[in-house]
Amino acid sequence: MINLKSSGISAGIFILIVAAFVVPVSAHGVHVTTNESAIIIADNSTGKMARSVVDEMGVNVTVYKFASADDVAHELEHARTDPNKKILAVAYTDTVQNFINQHPEVSSRIMVASASKL
């Protein structure tokens, strides 16, 4: 015989424990460029153009379309700890420039360019 009241409490505790671990992760954001050593930060209006330039040049660079300045800032924080990561930003340029100003040690690896200069 299964004690339903005890099983319900155990299931509730399990759900609370899982929720406690899931909420901070989703609030922290997702690190999207885990293995790439060179990326381009773009948005919906610059992504296609950046991709075509990369393809024409024949270089192995991934173009990421970010949805918000917060997502870009989060990604830049991860890049700060990876000395091999190189980033070119053609979108969210104010966010990226502010990050570079606050962390000048990354200025040789993170660059900002106007999308019109591509």
Side-chain angles (χ1 to χ4, degrees), residues 2 15 31 41 59 70 72 90 115:
I2 298 173
I15 291 170
H31 177 47
I41 292 176
V59 293
D70 288 341
V72 170
V90 296

Side-chain angles (χ1 to χ4, degrees), residues 83-114:
N84 298 316
K85 174 117 19 194
K86 293 180 177 39
I87 297 174
L88 172 65
V90 296
Y92 302 101
T93 55
D94 290 341
T95 300
V96 176
Q97 190 59 55
N98 287 338
F99 184 83
I100 293 169
N101 293 343
Q102 292 175 356
H103 305 284
E105 71 276 9
V106 300
S107 64
S108 64
R109 299 185 294 111
I110 300 175
M111 295 176 280
V112 177
S114 169

